[in-house]
Amino acid sequence: INAEYMGVCLLCAGCSFCIVVFGDQNKMQTPTTVAPAPPAQEENKPPPPLTPMLWFCYLGLATIVILPMYVPIEKTLHLFLSAFFSIYIGCITAAESDAEAIRTGQPLEKVEKKDALLFPVFASGALFGLYLIVRFISKQYLNMLLVGYFFLVGTFALSSAAQRILGQFLPSSFLCLPTIPFKLRVPFLHKEENENFDLSFRPFDILTLILSSGAGAWYLATRHWCANNLFGLVFCVNGIQLISLSSFAVGAILMCGAFVYDIFWVFGTEVMVSVATGIDAPIKLLFPRTLEVVIDHQATKFSMLGLGDIVLPGIFIALLLRYDIYRNSLTHSKGESYAYFYTNIVAYMAGMGATVGVMIFFEAAQPALLYLVPACLGTSLIQALIRGELFGHDGLLNFPPALPGDAKKEE
């Protein structure tokens, strides 16, 4: 990423602070409550209503994707808003998904300690593999493959994200139509007659998929940088929503591993920069460096922000929101508070501001996680220590608290 005006960074951080402090507090079902026995087969139902703050963030996200095609946005402001909107939406929807999974009795798949420890290894292997392809094989063939892949993945991801918005306008009678079962048999994969994929979809799914295919076709045909950002932001929101950390300790391990990974590959080698600049795919967000409407995409220089710089801190902040919800369940009479969630959003924006400031000073690319990890992890630990909620059975370091029988399960 690159920027010119540190004042814009501070302004964005201040705006985000006002938004999260004075924004409405979202009423969410706490994942720690005991869920009733799930029904044998639950009928389709409309998505939950959006709070005013979620409406604001969804509209903001749509605006920063569409508006730059007609009106230029200063790149630092564009970067801050993109990160803030996607993290806020991802964290809130993640908390709602956790509550819904517990209510219906569905198992929650979470990132465990082993996954967090191996993350830098697997991420490094994937990154270096892409670097070898970019360095020794024609980028044209790699980009053709990635464009087709991200067209399919991005279309389905956008379809999933669009359901939350479209569900607010369509009648319940349409949203609650029964699911249609479908069996898919792949000749070379399914050799037996009774082997197939059991699929199911709703008419609502078909509608959103058709609409999302239009955006996918736009990306496929033009490779426009706004289409790239559309898919990139959707990946960020879905990633934060779907990737859940099993505990604070696992989150700390993951963040520390990402911290070392980012520093090594940016400062120690040319690999990260070569892959980011050599691959034309929505694995990063693009921000035009000039304050004018982009006409020639190929001739324009862009600043970049990797999706991992949003998703990894985002899933950590989502964990802190779950901790807020857990603390609220212990103190029903004292009202609800989301102090850890709001404070760490502000800490993230401050860390991003530090990244931009250091980059301006040294005029060199910076690993954003070098500043974001200490900002988020350090802020959460200091905040818990000041509030007296760091240690103990209900402390942050022990979240989520062990339940009876957990030791037996681990054995």
Side-chain angles (χ1 to χ4, degrees), residues 45-93:
K45 61 180 183 179
L50 297 178
T51 63
M53 189 60 185
L54 272 179
W55 269 118
F56 172 78
C57 290
Y58 273 116
L59 291 175
L61 209 59
T63 300
I64 60 176
V65 170
I66 299 173
L67 186 63
M69 292 189 292
Y70 308 99
V71 179
I73 301 178
E74 203 282 324
K75 57 183 175 296
T76 309
L77 177 64
H78 199 172
L79 182 153
F80 270 78
L81 293 178
S82 299
F84 172 75
F85 289 143
S86 54
I87 287 179
Y88 189 92
I89 295 173
C91 289
I92 298 299
T93 53

mmCIF file of all heavy atoms in Angstrom, residues 45-93:
data_model
loop_
_atom_site.group_PDB
_atom_site.id
_atom_site.type_symbol
_atom_site.label_atom_id
_atom_site.label_comp_id
_atom_site.label_asym_id
_atom_site.label_seq_id
_atom_site.Cartn_x
_atom_site.Cartn_y
_atom_site.Cartn_z
ATOM 1 N N LYS A 45 -36.169 -19.739 6.151
ATOM 2 C CA LYS A 45 -36.712 -18.528 6.760
ATOM 3 C C LYS A 45 -35.942 -17.324 6.253
ATOM 4 O O LYS A 45 -34.801 -17.445 5.781
ATOM 5 C CB LYS A 45 -36.638 -18.605 8.281
ATOM 6 C CG LYS A 45 -35.228 -18.742 8.827
ATOM 7 C CD LYS A 45 -35.253 -18.800 10.336
ATOM 8 C CE LYS A 45 -33.838 -18.872 10.901
ATOM 9 N NZ LYS A 45 -33.848 -18.900 12.370
ATOM 10 N N PRO A 46 -36.518 -16.118 6.342
ATOM 11 C CA PRO A 46 -35.838 -14.916 5.854
ATOM 12 C C PRO A 46 -34.601 -14.615 6.694
ATOM 13 O O PRO A 46 -34.495 -15.029 7.849
ATOM 14 C CB PRO A 46 -36.899 -13.820 6.012
ATOM 15 C CG PRO A 46 -38.192 -14.536 6.191
ATOM 16 C CD PRO A 46 -37.869 -15.846 6.825
ATOM 17 N N PRO A 47 -33.637 -13.896 6.123
ATOM 18 C CA PRO A 47 -32.473 -13.480 6.916
ATOM 19 C C PRO A 47 -32.881 -12.496 7.991
ATOM 20 O O PRO A 47 -33.907 -11.813 7.863
ATOM 21 C CB PRO A 47 -31.554 -12.835 5.867
ATOM 22 C CG PRO A 47 -32.463 -12.410 4.771
ATOM 23 C CD PRO A 47 -33.561 -13.424 4.732
ATOM 24 N N PRO A 48 -32.119 -12.394 9.073
ATOM 25 C CA PRO A 48 -32.477 -11.462 10.148
ATOM 26 C C PRO A 48 -32.421 -10.019 9.667
ATOM 27 O O PRO A 48 -31.667 -9.692 8.739
ATOM 28 C CB PRO A 48 -31.415 -11.743 11.219
ATOM 29 C CG PRO A 48 -30.267 -12.353 10.475
ATOM 30 C CD PRO A 48 -30.879 -13.124 9.357
ATOM 31 N N PRO A 49 -33.203 -9.133 10.258
ATOM 32 C CA PRO A 49 -33.190 -7.719 9.833
ATOM 33 C C PRO A 49 -31.852 -7.062 10.117
ATOM 34 O O PRO A 49 -31.121 -7.451 11.034
ATOM 35 C CB PRO A 49 -34.315 -7.091 10.671
ATOM 36 C CG PRO A 49 -34.452 -7.992 11.865
ATOM 37 C CD PRO A 49 -34.133 -9.373 11.374
ATOM 38 N N LEU A 50 -31.544 -6.062 9.332
ATOM 39 C CA LEU A 50 -30.293 -5.334 9.492
ATOM 40 C C LEU A 50 -30.472 -4.172 10.461
ATOM 41 O O LEU A 50 -31.486 -3.476 10.422
ATOM 42 C CB LEU A 50 -29.804 -4.795 8.148
ATOM 43 C CG LEU A 50 -29.452 -5.819 7.070
ATOM 44 C CD1 LEU A 50 -29.029 -5.096 5.791
ATOM 45 C CD2 LEU A 50 -28.342 -6.736 7.537
ATOM 46 N N THR A 51 -29.485 -3.979 11.330
ATOM 47 C CA THR A 51 -29.493 -2.813 12.201
ATOM 48 C C THR A 51 -29.090 -1.582 11.388
ATOM 49 O O THR A 51 -28.515 -1.703 10.301
ATOM 50 C CB THR A 51 -28.496 -3.006 13.351
ATOM 51 O OG1 THR A 51 -27.171 -3.101 12.791
ATOM 52 C CG2 THR A 51 -28.794 -4.277 14.133
ATOM 53 N N PRO A 52 -29.365 -0.382 11.887
ATOM 54 C CA PRO A 52 -28.947 0.824 11.154
ATOM 55 C C PRO A 52 -27.456 0.864 10.855
ATOM 56 O O PRO A 52 -27.038 1.314 9.792
ATOM 57 C CB PRO A 52 -29.365 1.955 12.099
ATOM 58 C CG PRO A 52 -30.518 1.401 12.863
ATOM 59 C CD PRO A 52 -30.216 -0.058 13.049
ATOM 60 N N MET A 53 -26.631 0.381 11.804
ATOM 61 C CA MET A 53 -25.185 0.405 11.573
ATOM 62 C C MET A 53 -24.785 -0.559 10.463
ATOM 63 O O MET A 53 -23.900 -0.241 9.646
ATOM 64 C CB MET A 53 -24.459 0.045 12.870
ATOM 65 C CG MET A 53 -22.958 0.252 12.804
ATOM 66 S SD MET A 53 -22.535 1.976 12.458
ATOM 67 C CE MET A 53 -20.751 1.848 12.291
ATOM 68 N N LEU A 54 -25.419 -1.728 10.400
ATOM 69 C CA LEU A 54 -25.130 -2.662 9.310
ATOM 70 C C LEU A 54 -25.595 -2.100 7.971
ATOM 71 O O LEU A 54 -24.920 -2.269 6.952
ATOM 72 C CB LEU A 54 -25.794 -4.014 9.581
ATOM 73 C CG LEU A 54 -24.978 -5.021 10.398
ATOM 74 C CD1 LEU A 54 -25.765 -6.304 10.611
ATOM 75 C CD2 LEU A 54 -23.645 -5.331 9.720
ATOM 76 N N TRP A 55 -26.744 -1.456 7.951
ATOM 77 C CA TRP A 55 -27.201 -0.805 6.730
ATOM 78 C C TRP A 55 -26.158 0.220 6.262
ATOM 79 O O TRP A 55 -25.818 0.295 5.067
ATOM 80 C CB TRP A 55 -28.540 -0.104 6.955
ATOM 81 C CG TRP A 55 -29.741 -0.931 6.680
ATOM 82 C CD1 TRP A 55 -30.722 -1.297 7.561
ATOM 83 C CD2 TRP A 55 -30.123 -1.509 5.421
ATOM 84 N NE1 TRP A 55 -31.675 -2.060 6.938
ATOM 85 C CE2 TRP A 55 -31.342 -2.199 5.628
ATOM 86 C CE3 TRP A 55 -29.555 -1.513 4.146
ATOM 87 C CZ2 TRP A 55 -31.992 -2.883 4.603
ATOM 88 C CZ3 TRP A 55 -30.208 -2.189 3.118
ATOM 89 C CH2 TRP A 55 -31.411 -2.861 3.360
ATOM 90 N N PHE A 56 -25.679 1.006 7.202
ATOM 91 C CA PHE A 56 -24.683 2.021 6.872
ATOM 92 C C PHE A 56 -23.431 1.382 6.264
ATOM 93 O O PHE A 56 -22.891 1.872 5.268
ATOM 94 C CB PHE A 56 -24.324 2.799 8.142
ATOM 95 C CG PHE A 56 -23.166 3.746 7.972
ATOM 96 C CD1 PHE A 56 -23.333 4.967 7.345
ATOM 97 C CD2 PHE A 56 -21.900 3.411 8.441
ATOM 98 C CE1 PHE A 56 -22.259 5.834 7.183
ATOM 99 C CE2 PHE A 56 -20.827 4.271 8.282
ATOM 100 C CZ PHE A 56 -21.011 5.491 7.651
ATOM 101 N N CYS A 57 -22.965 0.282 6.850
ATOM 102 C CA CYS A 57 -21.744 -0.369 6.367
ATOM 103 C C CYS A 57 -21.949 -1.031 5.009
ATOM 104 O O CYS A 57 -21.068 -0.960 4.138
ATOM 105 C CB CYS A 57 -21.265 -1.391 7.395
ATOM 106 S SG CYS A 57 -20.615 -0.662 8.913
ATOM 107 N N TYR A 58 -23.096 -1.685 4.811
ATOM 108 C CA TYR A 58 -23.368 -2.299 3.502
ATOM 109 C C TYR A 58 -23.458 -1.231 2.410
ATOM 110 O O TYR A 58 -22.918 -1.397 1.309
ATOM 111 C CB TYR A 58 -24.663 -3.110 3.555
ATOM 112 C CG TYR A 58 -24.485 -4.529 4.026
ATOM 113 C CD1 TYR A 58 -25.062 -4.978 5.212
ATOM 114 C CD2 TYR A 58 -23.743 -5.446 3.280
ATOM 115 C CE1 TYR A 58 -24.903 -6.292 5.643
ATOM 116 C CE2 TYR A 58 -23.583 -6.754 3.694
ATOM 117 C CZ TYR A 58 -24.166 -7.175 4.882
ATOM 118 O OH TYR A 58 -23.999 -8.467 5.307
ATOM 119 N N LEU A 59 -24.163 -0.144 2.705
ATOM 120 C CA LEU A 59 -24.271 0.934 1.719
ATOM 121 C C LEU A 59 -22.905 1.574 1.467
ATOM 122 O O LEU A 59 -22.572 1.926 0.331
ATOM 123 C CB LEU A 59 -25.271 1.983 2.200
ATOM 124 C CG LEU A 59 -26.738 1.542 2.231
ATOM 125 C CD1 LEU A 59 -27.618 2.627 2.846
ATOM 126 C CD2 LEU A 59 -27.231 1.203 0.829
ATOM 127 N N GLY A 60 -22.116 1.706 2.543
ATOM 128 C CA GLY A 60 -20.773 2.256 2.378
ATOM 129 C C GLY A 60 -19.902 1.366 1.525
ATOM 130 O O GLY A 60 -19.136 1.847 0.670
ATOM 131 N N LEU A 61 -20.016 0.057 1.730
ATOM 132 C CA LEU A 61 -19.221 -0.887 0.948
ATOM 133 C C LEU A 61 -19.603 -0.816 -0.531
ATOM 134 O O LEU A 61 -18.736 -0.829 -1.417
ATOM 135 C CB LEU A 61 -19.436 -2.298 1.491
ATOM 136 C CG LEU A 61 -18.291 -3.296 1.349
ATOM 137 C CD1 LEU A 61 -17.043 -2.773 2.052
ATOM 138 C CD2 LEU A 61 -18.686 -4.638 1.949
ATOM 139 N N ALA A 62 -20.911 -0.741 -0.798
ATOM 140 C CA ALA A 62 -21.360 -0.631 -2.188
ATOM 141 C C ALA A 62 -20.890 0.689 -2.814
ATOM 142 O O ALA A 62 -20.504 0.738 -3.993
ATOM 143 C CB ALA A 62 -22.876 -0.739 -2.252
ATOM 144 N N THR A 63 -20.893 1.744 -2.015
ATOM 145 C CA THR A 63 -20.507 3.060 -2.528
ATOM 146 C C THR A 63 -19.042 3.095 -2.946
ATOM 147 O O THR A 63 -18.700 3.608 -4.024
ATOM 148 C CB THR A 63 -20.765 4.141 -1.465
ATOM 149 O OG1 THR A 63 -22.160 4.155 -1.140
ATOM 150 C CG2 THR A 63 -20.349 5.513 -1.974
ATOM 151 N N ILE A 64 -18.151 2.522 -2.106
ATOM 152 C CA ILE A 64 -16.721 2.597 -2.432
ATOM 153 C C ILE A 64 -16.339 1.636 -3.557
ATOM 154 O O ILE A 64 -15.222 1.707 -4.075
ATOM 155 C CB ILE A 64 -15.848 2.320 -1.193
ATOM 156 C CG1 ILE A 64 -16.132 0.927 -0.632
ATOM 157 C CG2 ILE A 64 -16.056 3.395 -0.143
ATOM 158 C CD1 ILE A 64 -15.238 0.561 0.531
ATOM 159 N N VAL A 65 -17.256 0.748 -3.935
ATOM 160 C CA VAL A 65 -17.014 -0.103 -5.100
ATOM 161 C C VAL A 65 -17.485 0.581 -6.374
ATOM 162 O O VAL A 65 -16.794 0.559 -7.397
ATOM 163 C CB VAL A 65 -17.722 -1.470 -4.941
ATOM 164 C CG1 VAL A 65 -17.686 -2.256 -6.250
ATOM 165 C CG2 VAL A 65 -17.052 -2.296 -3.840
ATOM 166 N N ILE A 66 -18.646 1.230 -6.325
ATOM 167 C CA ILE A 66 -19.257 1.802 -7.532
ATOM 168 C C ILE A 66 -18.810 3.231 -7.787
ATOM 169 O O ILE A 66 -18.516 3.612 -8.923
ATOM 170 C CB ILE A 66 -20.795 1.739 -7.413
ATOM 171 C CG1 ILE A 66 -21.249 0.280 -7.277
ATOM 172 C CG2 ILE A 66 -21.456 2.399 -8.617
ATOM 173 C CD1 ILE A 66 -22.725 0.126 -6.999
ATOM 174 N N LEU A 67 -18.753 4.050 -6.736
ATOM 175 C CA LEU A 67 -18.483 5.478 -6.902
ATOM 176 C C LEU A 67 -17.166 5.787 -7.614
ATOM 177 O O LEU A 67 -17.128 6.707 -8.452
ATOM 178 C CB LEU A 67 -18.520 6.165 -5.532
ATOM 179 C CG LEU A 67 -18.392 7.692 -5.540
ATOM 180 C CD1 LEU A 67 -19.570 8.323 -6.276
ATOM 181 C CD2 LEU A 67 -18.300 8.241 -4.104
ATOM 182 N N PRO A 68 -16.058 5.067 -7.345
ATOM 183 C CA PRO A 68 -14.789 5.420 -8.007
ATOM 184 C C PRO A 68 -14.807 5.300 -9.525
ATOM 185 O O PRO A 68 -13.915 5.834 -10.190
ATOM 186 C CB PRO A 68 -13.792 4.417 -7.405
ATOM 187 C CG PRO A 68 -14.375 4.032 -6.093
ATOM 188 C CD PRO A 68 -15.861 4.029 -6.317
ATOM 189 N N MET A 69 -15.803 4.624 -10.090
ATOM 190 C CA MET A 69 -15.902 4.567 -11.554
ATOM 191 C C MET A 69 -16.317 5.911 -12.131
ATOM 192 O O MET A 69 -16.136 6.163 -13.333
ATOM 193 C CB MET A 69 -16.897 3.485 -11.969
ATOM 194 C CG MET A 69 -16.422 2.074 -11.675
ATOM 195 S SD MET A 69 -17.488 0.802 -12.406
ATOM 196 C CE MET A 69 -18.971 1.013 -11.423
ATOM 197 N N TYR A 70 -16.891 6.784 -11.276
ATOM 198 C CA TYR A 70 -17.395 8.072 -11.749
ATOM 199 C C TYR A 70 -16.769 9.250 -11.010
ATOM 200 O O TYR A 70 -16.584 10.317 -11.602
ATOM 201 C CB TYR A 70 -18.919 8.122 -11.584
ATOM 202 C CG TYR A 70 -19.616 6.941 -12.195
ATOM 203 C CD1 TYR A 70 -20.026 5.855 -11.409
ATOM 204 C CD2 TYR A 70 -19.854 6.879 -13.565
ATOM 205 C CE1 TYR A 70 -20.664 4.754 -11.969
ATOM 206 C CE2 TYR A 70 -20.482 5.782 -14.135
ATOM 207 C CZ TYR A 70 -20.878 4.722 -13.325
ATOM 208 O OH TYR A 70 -21.498 3.630 -13.892
ATOM 209 N N VAL A 71 -16.463 9.062 -9.739
ATOM 210 C CA VAL A 71 -15.882 10.131 -8.924
ATOM 211 C C VAL A 71 -14.657 9.569 -8.202
ATOM 212 O O VAL A 71 -14.776 8.552 -7.513
ATOM 213 C CB VAL A 71 -16.889 10.671 -7.887
ATOM 214 C CG1 VAL A 71 -16.242 11.759 -7.034
ATOM 215 C CG2 VAL A 71 -18.136 11.194 -8.571
ATOM 216 N N PRO A 72 -13.484 10.186 -8.353
ATOM 217 C CA PRO A 72 -12.288 9.642 -7.692
ATOM 218 C C PRO A 72 -12.368 9.783 -6.175
ATOM 219 O O PRO A 72 -12.943 10.742 -5.653
ATOM 220 C CB PRO A 72 -11.153 10.485 -8.277
ATOM 221 C CG PRO A 72 -11.802 11.767 -8.699
ATOM 222 C CD PRO A 72 -13.191 11.398 -9.137
ATOM 223 N N ILE A 73 -11.806 8.811 -5.478
ATOM 224 C CA ILE A 73 -11.709 8.829 -4.019
ATOM 225 C C ILE A 73 -10.242 8.795 -3.641
ATOM 226 O O ILE A 73 -9.470 8.006 -4.198
ATOM 227 C CB ILE A 73 -12.444 7.621 -3.387
ATOM 228 C CG1 ILE A 73 -13.922 7.622 -3.787
ATOM 229 C CG2 ILE A 73 -12.318 7.644 -1.871
ATOM 230 C CD1 ILE A 73 -14.694 6.438 -3.237
ATOM 231 N N GLU A 74 -9.830 9.648 -2.725
ATOM 232 C CA GLU A 74 -8.440 9.672 -2.274
ATOM 233 C C GLU A 74 -8.065 8.288 -1.761
ATOM 234 O O GLU A 74 -8.814 7.655 -1.023
ATOM 235 C CB GLU A 74 -8.271 10.712 -1.162
ATOM 236 C CG GLU A 74 -6.849 11.217 -1.012
ATOM 237 C CD GLU A 74 -5.954 10.233 -0.281
ATOM 238 O OE1 GLU A 74 -6.436 9.556 0.642
ATOM 239 O OE2 GLU A 74 -4.767 10.129 -0.653
ATOM 240 N N LYS A 75 -6.913 7.774 -2.165
ATOM 241 C CA LYS A 75 -6.559 6.375 -1.960
ATOM 242 C C LYS A 75 -6.489 5.971 -0.486
ATOM 243 O O LYS A 75 -6.883 4.870 -0.114
ATOM 244 C CB LYS A 75 -5.238 6.042 -2.650
ATOM 245 C CG LYS A 75 -4.061 6.881 -2.232
ATOM 246 C CD LYS A 75 -2.837 6.489 -3.035
ATOM 247 C CE LYS A 75 -1.652 7.392 -2.738
ATOM 248 N NZ LYS A 75 -1.886 8.781 -3.148
ATOM 249 N N THR A 76 -6.004 6.856 0.380
ATOM 250 C CA THR A 76 -5.910 6.511 1.797
ATOM 251 C C THR A 76 -7.289 6.413 2.421
ATOM 252 O O THR A 76 -7.574 5.500 3.202
ATOM 253 C CB THR A 76 -5.059 7.559 2.540
ATOM 254 O OG1 THR A 76 -3.824 7.745 1.851
ATOM 255 C CG2 THR A 76 -4.790 7.117 3.952
ATOM 256 N N LEU A 77 -8.165 7.348 2.079
ATOM 257 C CA LEU A 77 -9.541 7.277 2.559
ATOM 258 C C LEU A 77 -10.219 6.021 2.041
ATOM 259 O O LEU A 77 -10.944 5.324 2.783
ATOM 260 C CB LEU A 77 -10.305 8.526 2.097
ATOM 261 C CG LEU A 77 -11.797 8.574 2.449
ATOM 262 C CD1 LEU A 77 -11.984 8.614 3.958
ATOM 263 C CD2 LEU A 77 -12.463 9.778 1.790
ATOM 264 N N HIS A 78 -9.983 5.712 0.773
ATOM 265 C CA HIS A 78 -10.555 4.512 0.158
ATOM 266 C C HIS A 78 -10.096 3.257 0.898
ATOM 267 O O HIS A 78 -10.895 2.349 1.181
ATOM 268 C CB HIS A 78 -10.115 4.461 -1.314
ATOM 269 C CG HIS A 78 -10.959 3.573 -2.160
ATOM 270 N ND1 HIS A 78 -10.831 3.508 -3.536
ATOM 271 C CD2 HIS A 78 -11.941 2.686 -1.847
ATOM 272 C CE1 HIS A 78 -11.697 2.646 -4.014
ATOM 273 N NE2 HIS A 78 -12.372 2.122 -3.013
ATOM 274 N N LEU A 79 -8.813 3.208 1.227
ATOM 275 C CA LEU A 79 -8.254 2.055 1.932
ATOM 276 C C LEU A 79 -8.888 1.894 3.317
ATOM 277 O O LEU A 79 -9.304 0.800 3.706
ATOM 278 C CB LEU A 79 -6.736 2.232 2.042
ATOM 279 C CG LEU A 79 -5.911 1.130 2.708
ATOM 280 C CD1 LEU A 79 -4.503 1.148 2.146
ATOM 281 C CD2 LEU A 79 -5.844 1.291 4.217
ATOM 282 N N PHE A 80 -8.958 2.988 4.074
ATOM 283 C CA PHE A 80 -9.496 2.922 5.432
ATOM 284 C C PHE A 80 -10.959 2.485 5.436
ATOM 285 O O PHE A 80 -11.370 1.656 6.255
ATOM 286 C CB PHE A 80 -9.356 4.285 6.109
ATOM 287 C CG PHE A 80 -8.062 4.468 6.843
ATOM 288 C CD1 PHE A 80 -6.896 4.751 6.149
ATOM 289 C CD2 PHE A 80 -7.992 4.364 8.218
ATOM 290 C CE1 PHE A 80 -5.693 4.918 6.817
ATOM 291 C CE2 PHE A 80 -6.801 4.532 8.897
ATOM 292 C CZ PHE A 80 -5.637 4.814 8.186
ATOM 293 N N LEU A 81 -11.742 3.050 4.538
ATOM 294 C CA LEU A 81 -13.162 2.705 4.499
ATOM 295 C C LEU A 81 -13.369 1.257 4.080
ATOM 296 O O LEU A 81 -14.235 0.558 4.632
ATOM 297 C CB LEU A 81 -13.897 3.646 3.539
ATOM 298 C CG LEU A 81 -13.980 5.110 3.969
ATOM 299 C CD1 LEU A 81 -14.690 5.936 2.902
ATOM 300 C CD2 LEU A 81 -14.689 5.261 5.307
ATOM 301 N N SER A 82 -12.583 0.787 3.122
ATOM 302 C CA SER A 82 -12.698 -0.605 2.678
ATOM 303 C C SER A 82 -12.429 -1.563 3.832
ATOM 304 O O SER A 82 -13.170 -2.535 4.049
ATOM 305 C CB SER A 82 -11.720 -0.886 1.534
ATOM 306 O OG SER A 82 -11.982 -0.068 0.411
ATOM 307 N N ALA A 83 -11.369 -1.310 4.586
ATOM 308 C CA ALA A 83 -11.020 -2.179 5.706
ATOM 309 C C ALA A 83 -12.070 -2.111 6.804
ATOM 310 O O ALA A 83 -12.494 -3.143 7.346
ATOM 311 C CB ALA A 83 -9.645 -1.796 6.250
ATOM 312 N N PHE A 84 -12.512 -0.907 7.142
ATOM 313 C CA PHE A 84 -13.471 -0.753 8.244
ATOM 314 C C PHE A 84 -14.803 -1.428 7.938
ATOM 315 O O PHE A 84 -15.330 -2.199 8.748
ATOM 316 C CB PHE A 84 -13.697 0.729 8.546
ATOM 317 C CG PHE A 84 -14.814 0.965 9.524
ATOM 318 C CD1 PHE A 84 -14.633 0.704 10.870
ATOM 319 C CD2 PHE A 84 -16.054 1.415 9.090
ATOM 320 C CE1 PHE A 84 -15.667 0.903 11.775
ATOM 321 C CE2 PHE A 84 -17.094 1.610 9.979
ATOM 322 C CZ PHE A 84 -16.897 1.359 11.332
ATOM 323 N N PHE A 85 -15.364 -1.142 6.764
ATOM 324 C CA PHE A 85 -16.672 -1.703 6.428
ATOM 325 C C PHE A 85 -16.643 -3.226 6.388
ATOM 326 O O PHE A 85 -17.536 -3.894 6.904
ATOM 327 C CB PHE A 85 -17.154 -1.149 5.081
ATOM 328 C CG PHE A 85 -17.544 0.305 5.117
ATOM 329 C CD1 PHE A 85 -17.270 1.129 4.037
ATOM 330 C CD2 PHE A 85 -18.178 0.843 6.220
ATOM 331 C CE1 PHE A 85 -17.624 2.472 4.063
ATOM 332 C CE2 PHE A 85 -18.540 2.189 6.261
ATOM 333 C CZ PHE A 85 -18.256 3.001 5.177
ATOM 334 N N SER A 86 -15.615 -3.796 5.751
ATOM 335 C CA SER A 86 -15.569 -5.249 5.618
ATOM 336 C C SER A 86 -15.349 -5.927 6.964
ATOM 337 O O SER A 86 -15.949 -6.976 7.248
ATOM 338 C CB SER A 86 -14.469 -5.656 4.624
ATOM 339 O OG SER A 86 -13.231 -5.090 4.976
ATOM 340 N N ILE A 87 -14.530 -5.360 7.841
ATOM 341 C CA ILE A 87 -14.310 -5.964 9.155
ATOM 342 C C ILE A 87 -15.567 -5.867 10.011
ATOM 343 O O ILE A 87 -15.956 -6.839 10.676
ATOM 344 C CB ILE A 87 -13.118 -5.299 9.862
ATOM 345 C CG1 ILE A 87 -11.810 -5.744 9.203
ATOM 346 C CG2 ILE A 87 -13.095 -5.638 11.350
ATOM 347 C CD1 ILE A 87 -10.567 -5.124 9.812
ATOM 348 N N TYR A 88 -16.225 -4.733 10.000
ATOM 349 C CA TYR A 88 -17.426 -4.577 10.823
ATOM 350 C C TYR A 88 -18.516 -5.556 10.383
ATOM 351 O O TYR A 88 -19.102 -6.268 11.207
ATOM 352 C CB TYR A 88 -17.941 -3.143 10.748
ATOM 353 C CG TYR A 88 -19.047 -2.855 11.747
ATOM 354 C CD1 TYR A 88 -18.749 -2.337 13.002
ATOM 355 C CD2 TYR A 88 -20.380 -3.127 11.445
ATOM 356 C CE1 TYR A 88 -19.755 -2.095 13.925
ATOM 357 C CE2 TYR A 88 -21.386 -2.880 12.365
ATOM 358 C CZ TYR A 88 -21.070 -2.366 13.602
ATOM 359 O OH TYR A 88 -22.065 -2.133 14.514
ATOM 360 N N ILE A 89 -18.778 -5.611 9.082
ATOM 361 C CA ILE A 89 -19.817 -6.512 8.581
ATOM 362 C C ILE A 89 -19.439 -7.961 8.863
ATOM 363 O O ILE A 89 -20.268 -8.757 9.322
ATOM 364 C CB ILE A 89 -20.029 -6.298 7.066
ATOM 365 C CG1 ILE A 89 -20.587 -4.898 6.803
ATOM 366 C CG2 ILE A 89 -20.985 -7.357 6.504
ATOM 367 C CD1 ILE A 89 -20.656 -4.547 5.329
ATOM 368 N N GLY A 90 -18.183 -8.326 8.597
ATOM 369 C CA GLY A 90 -17.749 -9.702 8.811
ATOM 370 C C GLY A 90 -17.876 -10.133 10.261
ATOM 371 O O GLY A 90 -18.320 -11.249 10.552
ATOM 372 N N CYS A 91 -17.512 -9.267 11.194
ATOM 373 C CA CYS A 91 -17.573 -9.621 12.620
ATOM 374 C C CYS A 91 -19.013 -9.782 13.095
ATOM 375 O O CYS A 91 -19.338 -10.731 13.827
ATOM 376 C CB CYS A 91 -16.872 -8.552 13.454
ATOM 377 S SG CYS A 91 -15.074 -8.528 13.270
ATOM 378 N N ILE A 92 -19.886 -8.870 12.703
ATOM 379 C CA ILE A 92 -21.282 -8.958 13.144
ATOM 380 C C ILE A 92 -21.964 -10.198 12.569
ATOM 381 O O ILE A 92 -22.648 -10.938 13.276
ATOM 382 C CB ILE A 92 -22.063 -7.690 12.739
ATOM 383 C CG1 ILE A 92 -21.463 -6.451 13.411
ATOM 384 C CG2 ILE A 92 -23.533 -7.825 13.115
ATOM 385 C CD1 ILE A 92 -21.490 -6.477 14.919
ATOM 386 N N THR A 93 -21.765 -10.458 11.284
ATOM 387 C CA THR A 93 -22.379 -11.639 10.683
ATOM 388 C C THR A 93 -21.778 -12.931 11.228
ATOM 389 O O THR A 93 -22.459 -13.948 11.314
ATOM 390 C CB THR A 93 -22.235 -11.596 9.148
ATOM 391 O OG1 THR A 93 -20.855 -11.399 8.795
ATOM 392 C CG2 THR A 93 -23.061 -10.456 8.558
#
